[in-house]
Amino acid sequence: MGLTIVGCGYLGEAVARQLQPRRTLLPLTLTTTVTERHAALRDLADQLLLCDATDPSQLLVALQRNHTAVFCLAPRGNQQVNADGYRQTFIDSFRCLRSLLPDLPHLRQIIYTGSCSVYGDADGDWVDESTAPAAGNGHREVLLESERLLTDMGDSKRRVCILRLAALHGPGRELDDRLKGLAGRERAGDGRSFSNWIHVHDAAGALIAAMDGAWSGVVNVVNDEPIRIRDLVDLSLKRQQLEPVHWSGGPAPASGNGRRIRNDRLKTLGYRLQHPMLNTG
Ligand SMILES: NC(=O)c1ccc[n+]([C@@H]2O[C@H](COP(=O)([O-])OP(=O)(O)OC[C@H]3O[C@@H](n4cnc5c(N)ncnc54)[C@H](OP(=O)(O)O)[C@@H]3O)[C@@H](O)[C@H]2O)c1
């Protein structure tokens, strides 16, 4: 009995890599929807399957031998997908999972990597797991419906853990690389909005802790340092010795003042962050 990771992109692969030393005791089933990913994933897996999570027969094969199912899936590709694309990826997959539960008697835990974006804008205030998510529309509604669908799958024999992740950064998604294109540009608003981040190694580490500790319910997975966008950008550009951004001032853009996300529950459950702060010094 082992673990299946459905969706081995940036985070799913990082989880698989962290679990390599444990493979003799914890066999890994990894999934991808595209054969091009086989080369990268083959050596990390005891079983590597082509699986679209919206396909019941493929998902059943991926899950049927294991006690833990991790869902790290997200719409493929770099471009932003619309809410329908989101719905297809998340809701169709979780409805498919729900339909299979009677055939998955061994499944003891479902872990889903959701998103802190369910909190919406809190005008810069602090939020935690007890804060009601913002009313949903579009993408947020899909994320909330995903959480509801999964939560309803929990019972006395099957735990469901929803990890609400902040934005991921880390190798391959370095903040400096992502921000350097802003050098010398003018940006709307004043950059006051808070952003929240988590290093991919911590996101993967928290997920593994959720499995080891049999966590259930909602847990925010964020670092200790909510940071205003303007501070993040300014510090990064300064470090790279690039021109600063010129904030146009005036009303904040659609994102408002953002929110600062607490990680107290993550710590109370025993997870110790490897990267509690962004490297903005
Ligand atoms: N990235 C962030 O900053 C961020 C922030 C908050 C929350 N999250 C959450 O963290 C999770 C992982 O994010 P990520 O950045 O690692 O995403 P990612 O790199 O885009 O990887 C997601 C993978 O999911 C797989 N996938 C897509 N549709 C699928 C389907 N129908 N069935 C099975 N697999 C499917 C794809 O793998 P193949 O191409 O190999 O099929 C895709 O590469 C997501 O659930 C996301 O909501 C991410």
Side-chain angles (χ1 to χ4, degrees):
M1 299 298 260
L3 169 139
T4 300
I5 303 175
V6 179
C8 291
Y10 188 55
L11 177 56
E13 184 178 335
V15 175
R17 287 192 181 281
Q18 282 194 27
L19 286 171
Q20 290 305 298
R22 295 170 57 173
R23 264 176 63 189
T24 36
L25 292 176
L26 185 73
L28 290 185
T29 298
L30 305 183
T31 79
T32 176
T33 61
V34 288
T35 48
E36 298 86 81
R37 288 286 290 154
H38 277 201
L41 298 174
R42 191 179 295 120
D43 291 346
L44 302 176
D46 296 280
Q47 184 178 220
L48 176 60
L49 298 172
L50 266 183
C51 167
D52 184 319
T54 65
D55 180 312
S57 53
Q58 291 181 359
L59 189 60
L60 181 62
V61 172
L63 300 181
Q64 65 189 354
R65 285 173 24 192
N66 291 335
H67 55 59
T68 306
V70 169
F71 285 85
C72 281
L73 72 179
R76 224 162 288 106
N78 286 330
Q79 76 278 28
Q80 274 281 5
V81 295
N82 62 22
D84 287 342
Y86 239 53
R87 183 163 285 281
Q88 242 169 32
T89 302
F90 291 110
I91 305 296
D92 292 1
S93 297
F94 297 142
R95 286 194 177 141
C96 180
L97 171 64
R98 183 176 62 186
S99 74
L100 296 174
L101 290 179
D103 301 315
L104 297 171
H106 306 300
L107 191 59
R108 293 281 170 268
Q109 192 180 24
I110 299 167
I111 303 173
Y112 157 60
T113 52
S115 170
C116 282
S117 59
V118 296
Y119 292 115
D121 181 59
D123 201 21
D125 243 336
W126 286 96
V127 297
D128 66 14
E129 292 86 347
S130 68
T131 307
N137 57 33
H139 294 76
R140 194 181 312 133
E141 174 52 29
V142 173
L143 293 171
L144 286 170
E145 194 177 334
S146 299
E147 291 192 359
R148 284 193 295 268
L149 268 169
L150 288 164
T151 300
D152 288 348
M153 293 181 208
D155 61 23
S156 59
K157 293 190 181 143
R158 191 170 44 234
R159 290 174 301 277
V160 174
C161 182
I162 293 165
L163 302 176
R164 288 182 180 159
L165 306 185
L168 293 171
H169 72 103
R173 293 191 188 175
E174 303 288 358
L175 284 169
D176 282 353
D177 290 341
R178 291 154 73 175
L179 297 175
K180 65 185 175 196
L182 297 177
R185 298 260 198 102
E186 178 156 320
R187 301 286 292 172
D190 55 13
R192 281 174 51 83
S193 183
F194 280 101
S195 61
N196 299 266
W197 297 90
I198 186 75
H199 194 285
V200 67
H201 293 161
D202 276 319
L207 193 155
I208 293 166
M211 176 185 70
D212 289 341
W215 299 357
S216 58
V218 175
V219 185
N220 294 336
V221 180
V222 301
N223 73 10
D224 289 342
E225 188 194 17
I227 184 167
R228 292 188 193 276
I229 295 282
R230 70 166 178 237
D231 295 336
L232 176 71
V233 173
D234 288 355
L235 288 164
S236 169
L237 295 181
K238 195 178 279 175
R239 180 175 46 229
Q240 299 183 78
Q241 300 182 322
L242 294 170
E243 284 285 298
V245 158
H246 307 287
W247 298 99
S248 69
S255 60
N257 285 323
R259 69 260 150 173
R260 286 173 284 173
I261 296 162
R262 291 195 196 280
N263 57 13
D264 298 343
R265 179 153 198 243
L266 178 70
K267 292 179 173 176
T268 304
L269 286 164
Y271 186 72
R272 199 159 156 209
L273 289 161
Q274 302 167 60
H275 303 269
M277 312 285 277
L278 287 172
N279 179 20
T280 48

